[in-house]
Amino acid sequence: MKSSIGSGILLVSTSYFVFTLHDAVIKLLVVDVGVWQIIFFRSLTVLIACLVIGGRGFIPRVVRSPIVRPMMVRSVILLAAWVSFYTAAKSLQLAELTTIYYANPIVATLLAIPVLREKVPAVRWVAIILGFVGVVIAANPAGLTLSLPVGLALLAAILWAIGSVLLRKTAMNEKTLVQMTLTNFFFVVMTFVMAVLTWQPVDLKSGALLALVGILGGTAQATLFEAMRRAPVSVLAPFEYSSLIWAFVLGYAIWQDIPASNVAAGAALIFCAGLLIVASERLAARRYRLAQPADGSDGPRGV
């Protein structure tokens, strides 16, 4: 799949795999280091890397970028999503949090229609719903009822969906490196005070894990931002479910967590949802190529 959409799917799949590795390292790190401190150091690491890669004259270009304000708004929205999610996490089980969070791709697709003017074919809706059903089966959130923590988790999912749509909207107007620089600059500014107030000493092991979080976070951001430049939100949304599969794989590899049978069934549905999107986009690309004139003229083939 050498098309823009094909490369976008490959990039976003890579992104969610790296994000899952990133979350696994954070799970190891939060035992000794606070969340605000982790987010601050991760953002600072990525920001420094962006400035080094950008080279001389890069900062003035970033400052003059037309997406400064939109990226600031997006950063505030994502920070609010994190606060809502972590607050809800104190009262909800992991399965409940997972299921509610994965309403995000559905909301993102719904928002992409009026905001980005995307046309969402039926096959994409089938893939998104199929993937969400797989998440529900895998997470098995028995006894989930309406409550303030549930509302906060749903708010986090909605805010993340808004952030994804805003990213797609800004991604078409600026390079990935500029977007990453602005995003992490705003995160550094917004998390600095809380990081200082909740500061904990960092030993060599924690320092190495913090550096690894920064590397993984930067890689995941770069691939996600670039994917958003190449493919519509409604195409990429179902592939976010793949991170659940990677989470189960890493859970077994690192903590020897053995998934139950319902996890395997849910993972199979998520995998099928991804294959459905890939197959439909390849078929659409093939039809497009066949419709092109053989001699390079503007008319349909054979005319």
Side-chain angles (χ1 to χ4, degrees), residues 20-30 209 212-213 216 255:
T20 308
L21 285 173
H22 165 273
D23 293 343
V25 176
I26 287 181
K27 186 175 180 180
L28 294 171
L29 193 55
V30 290
L209 289 177
L212 182 58
V213 165
L216 292 173
W255 294 281

Side-chain angles (χ1 to χ4, degrees), residues 44 64 89 202:
L44 183 62
R64 294 193 300 267
V202 176

Side-chain angles (χ1 to χ4, degrees), residues 3 7 20 50 58 61 63 68 94 104-105 117 133 151-152 158 179 192 208 240 256 261 283 285 291 298:
S3 65
S7 61
T20 308
C50 288
F58 180 64
R61 177 183 175 183
V63 173
V68 172
L94 180 60
N104 168 23
R117 307 296 182 186
V133 170
L152 287 173
I158 293 172
Q179 295 181 69
F192 174 75
E240 187 164 359
Q256 287 74 54
S261 57
L283 181 60
D298 294 332

Side-chain angles (χ1 to χ4, degrees), residues 116-239:
L116 302 176
R117 307 296 182 186
E118 288 188 12
K119 295 181 179 180
V120 185
V123 66
R124 294 183 192 171
W125 282 115
V126 171
I128 291 170
I129 295 173
L130 183 64
F132 184 71
V133 170
V135 170
V136 173
I137 292 174
N140 190 25
L144 185 63
T145 58
L146 291 177
S147 63
L148 178 59
V150 170
L152 287 173
L154 183 59
L155 175 62
I158 293 172
L159 291 173
W160 268 315
I162 294 173
S164 297
V165 173
L166 288 178
L167 178 58
R168 170 66 176 174
K169 197 173 183 67
T170 58
M172 307 306 296
N173 300 316
E174 190 55 271
K175 290 187 175 181
T176 294
L177 189 63
V178 174
Q179 295 181 69
M180 290 179 61
T181 302
L182 288 170
T183 296
N184 287 283
F185 169 75
F186 290 127
F187 283 157
V188 166
V189 172
M190 291 187 295
T191 59
F192 174 75
V193 173
M194 289 302 299
V196 172
L197 293 177
T198 60
W199 185 270
Q200 294 173 297
V202 176
D203 57 18
L204 184 60
K205 176 184 175 182
S206 296
L209 289 177
L210 281 171
L212 182 58
V213 165
I215 294 171
L216 292 173
T219 303
Q221 283 184 19
T223 49
L224 177 62
F225 283 27
E226 192 62 30
M228 288 292 181
R229 287 169 55 85
R230 302 182 183 214
V233 169
S234 57
V235 171
L236 301 180
F239 291 91

